[in-house]
Amino acid sequence: MSAYLATVRRLRSLATVVRGRAYHPQRYMIETLAGAIEDAAIAIQSSPVDEPGQLPLAAIGNLREATDLLTQHDFMIPAAILGYATAPIAGVMPKMEPLQAVSVQLARQDADLRARRIAIVEHGHLNARHEDVLNAALTGLIVLHRKHDRLAAAVAVDNDRPCNRGKAPADLTH
């Protein structure tokens, strides 16, 4: 499957996941978000690109709209998920950076979330033939990134406690 077809497939699956998983008090906002993601998929299929490995301008505009919606409203879906959908063309997968937690417990939670993300990505679930598997992979990544974002807030508070200031991140190699 070409990078373009893989991206279209991921974007369409993501739109389905958004419709089923996103939360917003105004339902039309969820449809607006899913529509922008679907429009990006349509643009990739129907618009020529200047150079291989590039997204069509129309798709870039649709993805920018989806990113803006995700960052300006809390749909309970992190904007990073769009990067997983466009990774076949972009060649770059979103990262989940270590949080540098001082607390061993929080460092373990961080390591666990990052390992679970790697398992989804490296086991090829985003390239699965079955839609259910792809949808589950995207849903799993949404959950992991949301948990990681919440954990980042907890780590920031914990690392800023007077007793933890200046300490090195927890060492989990023992």
Side-chain angles (χ1 to χ4, degrees), residues 118-152:
I118 289 170
I120 291 172
V121 171
E122 290 188 1
H123 286 117
H125 298 303
L126 291 171
N127 297 321
R129 290 181 181 250
H130 299 288
E131 292 299 316
D132 291 345
V133 176
L134 176 56
N135 290 354
L138 290 168
T139 299
L141 289 167
I142 287 169
V143 170
L144 291 173
H145 275 274
R146 278 196 44 84
K147 286 182 178 182
H148 198 255
D149 290 346
R150 286 194 308 269
L151 183 61

Side-chain angles (χ1 to χ4, degrees), residues 70-132:
L70 287 169
T71 55
Q72 293 170 8
H73 303 273
D74 184 13
F75 287 94
M76 300 181 124
I77 295 179
I81 197 67
L82 293 169
Y84 291 99
T86 59
I89 293 175
V92 178
M93 193 74 70
K95 301 217 181 310
M96 190 179 276
E97 297 295 333
L99 297 175
Q100 307 302 323
V102 172
S103 160
V104 171
Q105 179 185 5
L106 294 176
R108 283 190 180 128
Q109 290 176 24
D110 177 32
D112 177 64
L113 291 172
R114 288 183 292 110
R116 291 167 56 197
R117 179 208 159 268
I118 289 170
I120 291 172
V121 171
E122 290 188 1
H123 286 117
H125 298 303
L126 291 171
N127 297 321
R129 290 181 181 250
H130 299 288
E131 292 299 316
D132 291 345

